[in-house]
Amino acid sequence: MGWLNRVNDQVDVLTRARALQEVSRSAESCLLLDGVIRSTDDQYARADALVQRLSALINLGRTAEYTRAIEEASAAVRDLAEPYLHGHLNALAALAAHHQGALDRCVTHLVKAARALGAVEDPDRDTAWGWHDLAMAYSYLSFHGYALGAIERARQLGLAAGIPEETFAAPGIRLRNAVALDHNGDSDGCLRVLRDVAADLGRFLRGGRAEELRPSSLAAYGYAAARRAALGDRVEADPNRLLSHGADSARARDMRQLGQVCLAIAAGNPIEAITRLDTARVSNETLGAAEPARLRSIAYARAGDHAAAHRADRHAFRLAAQRNDRLRDVYIDGIAARIDHEEMRREAARFEGEALTDPLTGLPNRRRLERYIAAVVAGGERVVIGVCDLDGFKAVNTRHGHHSGDLVLQRIAGVINRVMRRGDFVARYGGDEFVVVLSGAGMAEAADVARRIEAAVRTEDWEALVPGTPVGVTIGFAEVEANGPGLRGAIGAAFETADREMLAAKNRLRAG
């Protein structure tokens, strides 16, 4: 029995929504799914629609909506004993976490997705798509071996369910592997992988099966051909025609922009390529943050400016190395982070049914923060609170709009969470203000935490997210004096003190 056989309401609409996503028409799919969510009373139909809607939002690159969509889907799936749903949701949540820069969460979701999908007793075409999305998440995280294993599993399940092999060709996985090799200095290895990708496309074309390829796959084949041409390889396929596919896929749009840069280089127009790079706005997650810098290096080399090419190449290598360093840090700190995450979830369960989470960042909100502090202080623990206020946030909204402001808030939430000690508590207080709670700590530990937060925010790549608009953070700490005028008054006094310290720090910064 397939998954949709368990659904009793609007199955035809859910099936149509899936078909639209498969041909990269996710905006239309989203509208259908919204209608199901509003109108159905069937818990299975609602859960399916929310999971599929998250998939559509990821395809469209609507990053600011990820956190709320994951929360809503998780709430709908939580009490359903359906491994497929849990597996597919976690695969999609891994993709979303990666796009938000939360690599620790991404790894956690990858593990959960693989376990749940592997536990499906009667896998069907939906399970196959779950493995496909898990493969994509592995690939974006540069776990290329795992990605190839997951996509092969998707292909096998798909064939058993009557899905043509080429539907799960997934050239994007090997494409990301190829450019990663080039970013790390192995251009010959990159070309070998890209030629293998081209050979697969040739096999599908000769077999008359190209019509079964997904639009997003055609765009990836197009970029692979354009990238080969930029490296001086002779290509037979028409990259422009292939790059024109992809419909409303955000990743396909990114590949079209960078593909035109590659084709300008191949045509002997390096200055045009550099100009295109100056105006391109692409996600770091599509082909890696180092890809534009590497293309800039190739363009400068073709223009004969070898000094500039060398500088761009060094920048590309540094960006690739930073990614590897972040992956290493995930493994070093990931276990503690996942334990903390589970503890936070258990704490949230105590207040189930109430709105205790900030929908934008996924952090606890002000109400949950106040309850947490009260519970810790009442337990007799020493508590220090810190008020973190963003510097430059108004300029972000003014210059780049509120969507970019939301992305900055999401990134800040991830940065602060990443550097906190095990057992610390982080919440969004409101606006651009965050609060950290250090239990069992004093002001000396608070000063160390402040230095780590400030350093992490300072070294984050804000230029890539909001160009020309630096972002910083100012922090003020205060200890909660529990033996003061009652618990509520003590907490309020501590907040006032921390806020004054934060404002004083801002004034010192301006004066300096």
Side-chain angles (χ1 to χ4, degrees):
M1 177 186 286
W3 156 246
L4 281 179
N5 295 116
R6 297 172 173 82
V7 179
N8 296 314
D9 185 37
Q10 303 190 58
V11 177
D12 54 339
V13 181
L14 295 171
T15 302
R16 173 65 177 157
R18 280 165 165 71
L20 288 169
Q21 288 198 59
E22 289 174 18
V23 295
S24 299
R25 293 165 61 185
S26 295
E28 294 174 61
S29 177
C30 232
L31 292 175
L32 290 179
L33 295 166
D34 284 340
V36 174
I37 293 164
R38 285 194 303 270
S39 60
T40 188
D41 291 323
D42 182 73
Q43 60 179 343
Y44 291 98
R46 177 177 174 78
D48 185 83
L50 285 166
V51 171
Q52 296 304 321
R53 184 176 183 276
L54 174 59
S55 175
L57 293 175
I58 292 170
N59 291 337
L60 293 167
R62 285 159 56 174
T63 317
E65 299 176 58
Y66 290 175
T67 300
R68 181 187 289 274
I70 292 170
E71 283 188 349
E72 291 176 345
S74 297
V77 168
R78 186 178 299 124
D79 297 327
L80 300 180
E82 296 292 342
Y84 154 71
L85 270 184
H86 290 273
H88 203 170
L89 172 59
N90 274 287
L92 294 169
L95 279 168
H98 180 256
H99 287 302
Q100 292 171 323
L103 296 188
D104 51 348
R105 283 209 326 267
C106 180
V107 171
T108 302
H109 287 304
L110 287 174
V111 172
K112 290 181 176 180
R115 288 177 179 173
L117 290 172
V120 176
E121 294 181 358
D122 187 18
D124 62 352
R125 63 182 296 121
D126 289 305
T127 314
W129 281 108
W131 280 104
H132 169 275
D133 289 342
L134 177 58
M136 293 300 106
Y138 278 137
S139 174
Y140 283 117
L141 206 62
S142 299
F143 295 160
H144 302 298
Y146 284 98
L148 291 171
I151 200 64
E152 181 57 30
R153 180 69 172 143
R155 190 179 293 117
Q156 291 170 359
L157 291 176
L159 286 172
I163 301 175
E165 173 195 4
E166 45 272 28
T167 300
F168 291 135
I173 291 175
R174 283 179 294 164
L175 171 61
R176 279 183 284 278
N177 186 16
V179 297
L181 290 171
D182 194 39
H183 299 162
N184 287 284
D186 187 2
S187 296
D188 290 339
C190 171
L191 279 172
R192 282 195 299 273
V193 176
L194 291 178
R195 288 167 187 157
D196 286 344
V197 173
D200 266 3
L201 176 60
R203 180 165 60 86
F204 291 135
L205 290 172
R206 288 190 300 274
R209 294 182 291 164
E211 293 299 320
E212 300 295 338
L213 289 167
R214 301 178 67 208
S216 56
S217 292
L218 290 169
Y221 281 122
Y223 189 78
R227 192 59 157 79
R228 282 176 60 206
L231 289 172
D233 221 21
R234 182 174 174 273
V235 298
E236 295 178 358
D238 178 3
N240 263 318
R241 183 178 63 81
L242 292 168
L243 285 165
S244 67
H245 293 276
D248 58 15
S249 164
R251 295 182 288 276
R253 289 198 299 272
D254 289 348
M255 285 189 282
R256 276 195 290 274
Q257 291 187 68
L258 294 180
Q260 294 307 315
V261 173
C262 293
L263 293 175
I265 294 171
N269 301 316
I271 304 305
E272 177 192 338
I274 293 167
T275 301
R276 285 182 177 275
L277 281 169
D278 288 338
T279 58
R281 293 291 177 267
V282 298
S283 167
N284 288 341
E285 313 309 331
T286 300
L287 292 165
E291 181 69 348
R294 175 59 181 144
L295 294 180
R296 190 178 295 274
S297 171
I298 298 170
Y300 275 128
R302 294 291 172 85
D305 190 343
H306 296 291
H310 179 65
R311 287 194 299 272
D313 233 0
R314 288 184 61 190
H315 181 50
F317 189 82
R318 280 198 302 273
L319 290 171
Q322 285 174 7
R323 179 183 181 79
N324 293 335
D325 288 345
R326 290 184 68 197
L327 287 173
R328 180 200 63 204
D329 290 342
V330 165
Y331 281 105
I332 293 173
D333 301 328
I335 293 175
R338 286 196 292 275
I339 291 171
D340 291 344
H341 180 67
E342 291 302 319
E343 288 175 351
M344 288 174 64
R345 287 186 60 186
R346 284 194 293 272
E347 177 71 14
R350 294 176 54 202
F351 307 111
E352 190 169 3
E354 297 185 50
L356 298 170
T357 303
D358 171 50
L360 179 65
T361 63
L363 292 175
N365 63 12
R366 181 171 180 168
R367 178 188 292 178
R368 184 172 164 203
L369 167 72
E370 291 170 347
R371 291 189 178 193
Y372 174 82
I373 296 173
V376 174
V377 173
E381 281 198 66
R382 189 180 185 189
V383 176
V384 172
I385 61 174
V387 175
C388 310
D389 192 75
L390 298 194
D391 303 323
F393 186 69
K394 183 177 180 181
V396 168
N397 281 330
T398 301
R399 294 187 60 179
H400 301 283
H402 289 283
H403 174 69
S404 293
D406 288 346
L407 296 179
V408 167
L409 292 173
Q410 289 171 337
R411 181 76 62 86
I412 283 286
V415 169
I416 295 175
N417 251 331
R418 192 167 68 237
V419 301
M420 298 301 288
R421 311 170 314 156
R422 181 180 174 186
D424 291 341
F425 188 92
V426 184
R428 183 183 177 200
Y429 199 63
D432 60 344
E433 202 166 70
F434 295 79
V435 171
V436 298
V437 183
L438 316 181
S439 56
M443 296 303 289
E445 292 90 345
D448 181 60
V449 169
R451 282 191 293 271
R452 284 192 281 119
I453 293 174
E454 289 163 353
V457 172
R458 186 169 56 250
T459 56
E460 191 73 12
D461 184 12
W462 299 111
E463 184 64 22
L465 187 63
V466 282
T469 315
V471 175
V473 64
T474 305
I475 310 171
F477 278 96
E479 189 167 354
V480 179
E481 301 291 345
N483 55 357
L487 183 58
R488 183 177 293 275
I491 294 172
F495 267 106
E496 289 179 10
T497 302
D499 207 47
R500 282 199 302 271
E501 289 296 317
M502 180 270 294
L503 292 173
K506 276 188 182 289
N507 290 333
R508 287 194 297 271
L509 190 66
R510 294 190 189 103

